[in-house]
Amino acid sequence: MSVPNSKGQELTARIEVLSKRSDVTPFEVRSLKKEIDKLVSVNAAEAYMLGGMLAAITGDYAESKELHEKSLKLVADDVGYFNYGVSMKTVGDLSLAKDLFAKTATIVPGDTELLAHRLQTIAFLFDYETLEPIISDFKKANSAVEVDELRAVKEARAFVSSVESLGICLKQIARVGLHVEKALLKYKLSTAHMVERVSSFDGVSHVYFELNVEANSASQLVEVNECLMDLILEDSAIEDWDRIVVNIIRREHLQLHSGVEHSAA
């Protein structure tokens, strides 16, 4: 989201274009940063927000968070909360992103772009317990959209139904999602793409999640997967740990050819 009729609208569009690329150059970042800095004397809140968005796409979690917080202290509105949420989703702090999107929904509950981000965020968090409340709130605010017919909603409900048919508790899956988030944040990684499905191996049905990250090396992938395994095994509340399988890989090694896919927007 951008502030209408402002220089920030143009800069927001440029930042969004960069966020979809994997070959962003230091020159492009520096050029944008200079233009954002010029806005500080005109509209500091907007400048800090844009700076936070730019920092997120360069992977600077601390700077992104600091700048967005500075922006919200000056102007706390739906645009600020939403873009802060998008930035946190980009750097992998999905729990904070979820909370920020929920805050945005108290101001613009019927916004379709916001709904898309909320659905994707809970998918990356494996937090399907919150699916129906989100859908319900959106329906009340925007009856013009046939939300039940949206592909993301249909796929999420079908996945939930499949999981429940296995007798696996959604709360346990959500706890695994929090551990995934914690492990990825530890290694400064975030999910770019994910596939989820219900499968079976040696006669045992399980839920399978395959997450794509931009890991630096194969050894880092091993470390983050081992870290995740330890976190899950240490959590006594996850009784079905052997039926909730998570594999963190690099994009070029994506293995699945079927299942529900989610890609970072």
Side-chain angles (χ1 to χ4, degrees):
M1 290 183 182
S2 60
V3 179
N5 304 316
S6 71
K7 177 66 174 178
Q9 191 170 26
E10 174 197 333
L11 292 176
T12 299
R14 288 173 61 186
I15 290 171
E16 288 176 347
V17 169
L18 288 186
S19 71
K20 293 176 171 58
R21 288 172 43 198
S22 59
D23 59 343
V24 179
T25 67
F27 177 81
E28 290 173 305
V29 174
R30 188 174 179 81
S31 174
L32 260 175
K33 193 174 186 304
K34 282 190 173 183
E35 292 194 52
I36 292 171
D37 288 343
K38 292 176 184 178
L39 282 179
V40 175
S41 61
V42 180
N43 187 335
E46 187 173 24
Y48 293 143
M49 179 189 72
L50 291 167
M53 294 164 65
L54 182 60
I57 67 172
T58 63
D60 194 330
Y61 173 85
E63 182 179 4
S64 179
K65 191 170 185 179
E66 179 184 355
L67 288 172
H68 277 294
E69 292 287 351
K70 287 176 71 172
S71 175
L72 287 175
K73 285 179 181 178
L74 296 174
V75 177
D77 60 9
D78 57 306
V79 175
Y81 286 121
F82 175 81
N83 286 325
Y84 188 6
V86 172
S87 289
M88 291 301 98
K89 183 157 74 77
T90 299
V91 296
D93 194 339
L94 299 173
S95 293
L96 180 53
K98 186 181 78 168
D99 291 343
L100 289 163
F101 290 145
K103 180 70 174 179
T104 310
T106 65
I107 306 171
V108 285
D111 187 90
T112 53
E113 184 181 9
L114 172 61
L115 175 65
H117 277 279
R118 296 188 79 186
L119 293 176
Q120 186 181 75
T121 301
I122 65 171
F124 282 167
L125 268 175
F126 308 174
D127 184 21
Y128 285 104
E129 286 188 299
T130 58
L131 175 64
E132 292 304 330
I134 287 174
I135 294 172
S136 176
D137 290 344
F138 181 85
K139 281 183 176 180
K140 293 173 185 176
N142 191 343
S143 59
V145 176
E146 295 184 7
V147 66
D148 294 325
E149 298 304 312
L150 295 178
R151 177 180 175 182
V153 171
K154 285 184 174 181
E155 290 181 340
R157 282 175 165 164
F159 179 71
V160 168
S161 178
S162 296
V163 170
E164 290 178 335
S165 71
L166 300 181
I168 299 177
C169 178
L170 291 177
K171 189 178 294 295
Q172 290 193 50
I173 290 178
R175 287 188 69 88
V176 170
L178 290 175
H179 292 315
V180 171
E181 177 188 36
K182 186 175 180 179
L184 292 179
L185 281 173
K186 178 180 178 179
Y187 290 90
K188 298 181 179 180
L189 298 171
S190 59
T191 306
H193 182 88
M194 183 181 83
V195 179
E196 59 190 12
R197 70 174 183 182
V198 171
S199 189
S200 180
F201 182 74
D202 284 346
V204 178
S205 297
H206 59 264
V207 184
Y208 186 92
F209 297 93
E210 193 162 88
L211 290 82
N212 158 235
V213 299
E214 296 296 331
N216 296 325
S217 63
S219 61
Q220 186 183 48
L221 280 177
V222 172
E223 286 183 29
V224 70
N225 276 289
E226 288 181 345
C227 173
L228 174 59
M229 190 184 309
D230 289 339
L231 289 170
I232 294 173
L233 292 176
E234 289 168 4
D235 190 339
S236 59
I238 303 177
E239 298 176 354
D240 290 320
W241 57 268
D242 57 335
R243 301 178 66 202
I244 305 172
V245 182
V246 182
N247 190 20
I248 300 172
I249 64 169
R250 280 194 273 184
R251 175 65 173 173
E252 59 266 30
H253 298 147
L254 194 66
Q255 297 170 6
L256 295 180
H257 301 286
S258 62
V260 180
E261 296 191 33
H262 304 277
S263 294

